[in-house]
Amino acid sequence: MRLSAYISGLGVLGPGLCNWPAAAAVLNGQRVYTPAPAVLPVPAILAAAERRRTGRVVKLAIGIALEATAQAGEDPASLASVFSSSGADGHNCHEICQALALAGREISPTRFANSVHNAAAGYWSIGTGAMAESNVLCAFDASFTAGLLEALTRIAVDREPVLLVAYDTEYPPPLHAKRPIPDAFGVALVLTPQKRASSLGRLDAALTDSVFDRLAEPALETLRSTFPAARSLPLLRLLAARRSGGAILEYLDVSRMEVQIEPCV
């Protein structure tokens, strides 16, 4: 069974990639990729008190979601959403573990609230006023493709636009030794059942057992393989090139996702 949707908005942020136009220029060969620390935007849609409580996960997720919805011309408050990440807030988790190692074992309620996996989706709802259904997934290194599969399934069933937000941020030592994500990377897609003026291309997807694609450029392949959300790069390359083509995305050990892109003109 194949699932289909139009990609009508994109947001990207990661090391050396400040937004989708910058990422597209790298992926279509117009600019050489130069790694640099990711600069996360201030989540201006949140009140000052809430902004002070947010960590890098929330800043990343909100930043890419706002870029994607703005490009699509969609009201963020009206969109159903899928948030998918390989983990939660690594820095917050580290601080909680440190607190539990002390005699008092006192944990800040704010830190606990921000430690849950759906924190980014919660802040998105608060900041935008979104009341539509939101699902939050975690599938370790397969989190991007799992989120894409969930979003495409919802498009097929509900025939309504869906915002997919996939994101990962770093873990500090000693957790970093076990989960060596070095920085932040995220991608957001607004998927629609019908073609829009902003649509970049039509996506058709199905599960397959074929070998997943790797990128020929060493620096980009390192980016793709280091961040679970960057498993999206073969798909993003097709969109950046604005030409018909296919790619195999990493998913689970026994299956992958084959995507075909037909650009919109």
Side-chain angles (χ1 to χ4, degrees), residues 218-235:
L220 288 176
E221 174 57 21
T222 296
L223 185 68
R224 187 203 67 83
S225 61
T226 300
F227 296 90
R231 305 303 201 271
S232 59
L233 286 176
L235 167 60

Side-chain angles (χ1 to χ4, degrees), residues 116-208:
V116 295
H117 191 64
N118 63 348
Y123 279 110
W124 173 254
S125 177
I126 292 169
T128 63
M131 300 295 288
E133 182 180 351
S134 180
N135 290 352
V136 182
L137 306 180
C138 178
F140 199 58
D141 286 346
S143 291
F144 169 75
T145 311
L148 180 60
L149 178 60
E150 172 69 15
L152 289 172
T153 301
R154 293 186 59 173
I155 291 280
V157 173
D158 299 331
R159 306 305 298 169
E160 296 289 341
V162 176
L163 169 66
L164 168 62
V165 190
Y167 49 96
D168 300 289
T169 59
E170 71 279 2
Y171 287 78
L175 296 173
H176 183 81
K178 296 298 183 181
R179 189 60 169 154
I181 295 176
D183 200 347
F185 185 96
V187 57
L189 294 82
V190 174
L191 300 170
T192 58
Q194 294 89 25
K195 183 180 176 181
R196 304 283 179 86
S198 64
S199 295
L200 299 172
R202 175 185 170 90
L203 183 152
D204 294 284
L207 294 181
T208 178

Side-chain angles (χ1 to χ4, degrees), residues 28-55:
N28 65 21
Q30 293 180 345
R31 183 168 69 85
V32 175
Y33 176 60
T34 304
V39 179
L40 305 185
V42 175
I45 62 172
L46 298 176
E50 290 159 349
R51 286 200 300 269
R52 288 194 295 270
R53 299 187 187 106
T54 60

